Amino acid sequence: EVKLHTMVEGQAPEHFMYPRAAKLEEADAVAYAFTSSTSKLEQYPFKFPELDDTDVRAKILHTGLCQSDCLHARCRWHSNTYYPCSPGHEVIGIVTAVGKSVKNFKVGDTMGACP
C-alpha cells in the first residue's frame, strides 16, 4: 500500500522538508536544487528527514530532466512549487532504507519511479 500525502495550498507537508546541512561534510546527501523561482541550480547538501513507516529511501543513480521540470522550478508550469526544488523524474536508484511497514522493498533492491 502506498501512502498519499495531502498537500496544503501553498505549503509542503513537514515530512517533505529536507533541511539544508550547515556544511557539505555534515550532509547525508547532496542534490542539485533551485532555492527560489529565480535562483540558479546549485548544490544543496541536506539532512535526511525522519523515515516514516511507509517510506522508501533510495540513492538516485539516474534521473530524467525535461522542459516541464525547468518550467516547474520557475513556477511557469503551475504555481504550487515548493523550494528547495530538485528537478527530475523517472528515477532509477538503489533502496538504502525502508520504513518498518514496507513489505515490497528491501535495502539493496533496484527501484524505479515515475512520479
Side-chain angles (χ1 to χ4, degrees):
E1 180 177 323
V2 175
K3 179 174 68 173
L4 300 176
H5 297 281
T6 304
M7 298 298 239
V8 176
E9 184 76 27
Q11 179 182 355
E14 182 71 25
H15 182 73
F16 281 24
M17 296 292 104
Y18 289 77
R20 187 174 204 132
K23 297 179 183 176
L24 190 60
E25 304 80 41
E26 297 172 357
D28 293 326
V30 178
Y32 280 87
F34 293 95
T35 54
S36 74
S37 66
T38 58
S39 72
K40 293 182 178 181
L41 195 59
E42 61 186 67
Q43 280 191 335
Y44 186 86
F46 63 93
K47 302 294 281 178
F48 290 134
E50 191 73 28
L51 199 65
D52 221 7
D53 290 349
T54 58
D55 284 345
V56 174
R57 182 174 294 144
K59 177 180 181 179
I60 304 303
L61 303 175
H62 304 281
T63 187
L65 181 64
C66 68
Q67 181 68 17
S68 63
D69 295 313
C70 299
L71 292 171
H72 174 73
R74 297 287 185 225
C75 290
R76 294 183 181 148
W77 190 262
H78 47 74
S79 61
N80 62 344
T81 301
Y82 305 106
Y83 296 97
C85 174
S86 185
H89 63 282
E90 300 164 339
V91 300
I92 300 295
I94 302 293
V95 174
T96 59
V98 296
K100 62 183 176 184
S101 298
V102 175
K103 306 291 183 222
N104 297 339
F105 294 94
K106 64 183 183 311
V107 172
D109 282 351
T110 301
M111 55 72 61
C114 184

